[in-house]
């Protein structure tokens, strides 16, 4: 069950400190805020280079009210493994969280991420995926959507497809993998609770629509994040203890007739303003394929 | 034994912990309320106290307790409009700051 709003609101502690350097309508702070509500008193964050490095603060002040260790791009998985080992040694009950962007996880940091997963390190990795290197100026990453315009794919949009990081991690045979969206904070909160209750490597792929990077108005962050789910383009699921389940908020959209038209999602985003009708057809086919795969996984991992 | 190790390490690195670590503090990027072009204003007559604006505010600039009215901290609210967009009964007006 998603965590009720009233329960989250009982936690007065703020994970995100108001007046931080994040952009207006930032999805990362929205995600960090929920992390703070659920695990704020137990989490230690390992943050590789990315937007969150900026949000965490301008010395001597910090914008995140959780311990943050800033680490070089490629090293987050390795550093977090070390902290988890140290926590074990001193007998601390804490949750070691890697809070990474898509570049830090899917591209530059993938080696240490994969290594930590294979060793089943006792860490929780959250990838807040805004689908490009945003804080350096919107360069395409491995998880940028096909055809999305970025500053490195300025004309036709990206010609390669989005890397499915969550499925990649699932096939590392780790105990917990889930997808989430900042459009559904109560579902994300539930997944954080579930993940925190398990020992070993845990992974959450959080979709984080970025107003300047995806080119939509700052008030639409949560709206776009919900549309991604309602159009079926982003599927919420959770794999836990050998059982794979499509999450309740995505369940209705297993039926293509109940999905909102994908055009509605694409139209809101300036990065897709150039896509042609045949591109939209391709995107629709891919969405259907992804759904077939996820349904097969659900049938396979009945638990 | 573990806690002793930790205490020892903290003692050895006292200067680092006290002076060189950044500490959480509101307004780490200054008074971000000055970023606003539009100001979200809760219409208390219309509000059904659902807390969705509180849930979605990316800045944690809204205070809300279950059953109560939301209160926006204008010192830091950046005026993104997410709360305006997410309110299910359109109880938040978005008012031009110049007026
Ligand atoms: S306008 Fe944005 S920052 Fe201001 S209260 Fe609403 S959601 Fe929060
Ligand atoms: S979202 Fe709207 S109705 Fe709900 S508490 Fe906020 S202002 Fe009131």
């Amino acid at each position: 069950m998603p965590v009720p709003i009233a329960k989250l609101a009982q936690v007065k502690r703020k994970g995100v400190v108001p007046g931080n350097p994040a952009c207006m309508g930032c999805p990362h702070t929205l995600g960090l805020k929920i992390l703070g509500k659920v695990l704020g008193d137990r989490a230690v964050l390992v943050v590789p280079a990315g937007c969150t490095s900026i949000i965490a603060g301008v010395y001597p002040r910090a914008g995140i009210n959780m311990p943050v260790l800033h680490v070089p791009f490629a090293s987050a998985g390795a550093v977090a493994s070390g902290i988890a080992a140290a926590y074990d040694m001193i007998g601390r009950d804490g949750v070691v969280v890697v809070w990474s962007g898509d570049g830090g996880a899917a591209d530059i940091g993938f080696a240490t991420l994969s290594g930590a997963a294979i060793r089943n390190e006792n860490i929780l990795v959250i990838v807040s995926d805004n689908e490009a290197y945003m804080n350096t100026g919107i360069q395409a990453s491995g998880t940028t959507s096909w055809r999305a315009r970025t500053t490195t794919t300025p004309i036709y949009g990206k010609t390669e497809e989005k890397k499915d990081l969550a499925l990649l991690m699932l096939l590392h045979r780790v105990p917990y993998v889930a997808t989430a969206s900042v459009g559904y904070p109560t579902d994300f909160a539930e997944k954080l609770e579930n993940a925190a209750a398990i020992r070993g490597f845990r992974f959450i792929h959080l979709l984080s629509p970025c107003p300047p990077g995806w080119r939509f108005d700052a008030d639409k962050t949560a709206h776009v994040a919900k549309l991604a789910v309602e159009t079926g383009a982003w599927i919420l699921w959770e794999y836990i203890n050998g059982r794979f389940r499509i999450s309740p908020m995505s369940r209705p959209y297993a039926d293509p007739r109940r999905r909102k038209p994908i055009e509605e999602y694409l139209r809101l985003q300036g990065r897709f303003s150039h896509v042609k009708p045949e591109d939209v057809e391709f995107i629709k086919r891919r969405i259907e394929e992804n759904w077939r795969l996820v349904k097969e996984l659900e049938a396979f991992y009945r638990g | 034994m573990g806690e002793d190790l930790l205490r020892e390490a903290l003692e050895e690195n006292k200067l680092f912990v006290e002076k060189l670590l950044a500490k959480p503090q509101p307004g780490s990027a200054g008074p971000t309320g000055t970023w606003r072009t539009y100001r979200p204003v809760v219409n208390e007559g219309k509000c059904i106290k659902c807390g969705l604006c509180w849930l979605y505010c990316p800045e944690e600039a809204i205070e809300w307790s279950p059953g109560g009215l939301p209160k926006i901290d204008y010192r830091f609210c950046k005026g993104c409009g997410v709360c305006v967009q997410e309110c299910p009964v359109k109880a938040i007006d978005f008012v031009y700051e110049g007026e």
Side-chain angles (χ1 to χ4, degrees):
Chain A
M1 278 285 285
V3 183
I5 301 181
K7 187 178 166 202
L8 289 173
Q10 262 147 26
V11 184
K12 288 299 164 209
R13 178 198 177 100
K14 291 181 182 180
V16 172
V17 195
N20 60 69
C23 303
M24 288 159 73
C26 175
H28 302 308
T29 45
L30 183 43
L32 283 162
K33 160 181 157 177
I34 301 303
L35 175 67
K37 293 292 168 213
V38 180
L39 296 175
D41 51 353
R42 296 202 284 150
V44 54
L45 271 54
V46 177
V47 176
C51 295
T52 304
S53 316
I54 316 286
I55 297 164
V58 188
Y59 178 82
R61 300 176 181 143
I64 295 176
N65 187 20
M66 289 175 267
V68 173
L69 195 64
H70 294 281
V71 300
F73 238 138
S75 68
V79 175
S81 304
I83 299 179
Y87 265 35
D88 266 353
M89 257 179 75
I90 62 172
R92 275 238 153 166
D93 167 40
V95 183
V96 183
V97 176
V98 172
W99 180 277
S100 168
D102 42 303
D107 299 347
I108 304 173
F110 189 70
T112 53
L113 175 68
S114 177
I118 286 297
R119 296 190 305 271
N120 195 25
E121 297 286 356
N122 189 26
I123 63 177
L124 165 58
V125 179
I126 302 166
V127 177
S128 186
D129 182 4
N130 56 11
E131 300 200 334
Y133 293 83
M134 295 308 183
N135 83 90
T136 50
I138 322 178
Q139 293 86 3
S141 80
T143 69
T144 303
S145 284
W146 182 75
R147 279 292 180 265
R149 268 185 179 154
T150 65
T151 52
T152 49
T153 57
I155 298 170
Y156 306 110
K158 195 181 168 210
T159 46
E160 301 85 27
E161 293 197 46
K162 182 179 174 77
K163 186 190 280 188
D164 198 324
L165 202 50
L167 289 183
L168 270 172
M169 297 326 286
L170 182 75
L171 293 178
H172 281 67
R173 313 230 182 275
V174 294
Y176 185 93
V177 183
T179 59
S181 156
V182 294
Y184 299 92
T186 57
D187 171 74
F188 178 45
E190 180 195 3
K191 286 166 178 167
L192 287 170
E193 280 184 353
N194 292 345
I198 292 180
R199 213 187 137 81
F201 187 92
R202 295 141 290 166
F203 185 85
I204 300 178
H205 193 171
L206 176 69
L207 185 71
S208 294
C210 162
W214 295 19
R215 298 199 224 147
F216 59 81
D217 292 337
D219 62 338
K220 298 281 188 303
T221 303
H223 181 67
V224 170
K226 280 187 269 190
L227 265 182
V229 173
E230 290 162 348
T231 56
W234 184 250
I235 309 171
L236 300 174
W237 53 262
E238 187 179 43
Y239 169 88
I240 175 167
N241 294 329
R243 186 152 177 262
F244 188 107
R245 238 167 36 104
I246 296 168
S247 304
M249 273 126 182
S250 261
R251 172 74 59 196
Y253 311 111
D255 178 354
R257 285 166 308 182
R258 297 186 65 177
R259 291 177 207 154
K260 287 192 178 167
I262 187 68
E263 289 85 349
E264 213 176 295
Y265 176 60
L266 301 177
R267 210 183 306 124
L268 271 175
Q269 305 172 44
R271 62 177 183 155
F272 291 122
S273 59
H274 61 294
V275 298
K276 300 193 197 67
E278 57 265 35
D279 296 338
V280 176
E281 284 314 308
F282 181 84
I283 293 170
K284 283 182 183 160
R285 276 205 305 280
R286 262 293 176 271
I287 290 175
E288 196 37 47
E289 262 177 44
N290 287 343
W291 270 100
R292 262 177 34 221
L293 182 56
V294 164
K295 285 182 201 164
E296 288 289 337
L297 283 167
E298 192 179 51
F300 183 81
Y301 289 113
R302 274 220 193 79
Chain B
M1 194 270 279
E3 290 297 321
D4 287 347
L5 266 177
L6 190 65
R7 216 169 299 121
E8 226 172 86
L10 284 176
E11 197 52 46
E12 267 174 38
N13 296 291
K14 212 169 170 185
L15 173 78
F16 177 75
V17 174
E18 279 174 10
K19 298 269 192 296
L20 299 180
L21 274 185
K23 307 284 191 310
Q25 204 177 317
S28 56
T32 49
T34 57
W35 296 13
R36 275 198 311 274
T37 313
Y38 292 90
R39 165 188 289 250
V41 180
V42 178
N43 185 329
E44 299 188 351
K46 272 198 206 165
C47 173
I48 55 169
K49 304 174 180 170
C50 66
L52 281 172
C53 54
W54 171 84
L55 181 70
Y56 282 107
C57 172
E59 195 62 25
E60 299 224 53
I62 302 183
E63 302 294 335
W64 176 75
S65 295
L69 285 163
K71 205 172 162 302
I72 299 172
D73 184 345
Y74 292 112
R75 289 173 304 163
F76 301 118
C77 158
K78 289 170 180 165
C80 64
V82 168
C83 55
V84 179
Q85 170 79 32
E86 295 308 319
C87 174
V89 294
K90 306 233 171 306
I92 307 181
D93 298 324
F94 218 19
V95 188
Y96 189 56
E97 279 286 355
E99 278 163 16

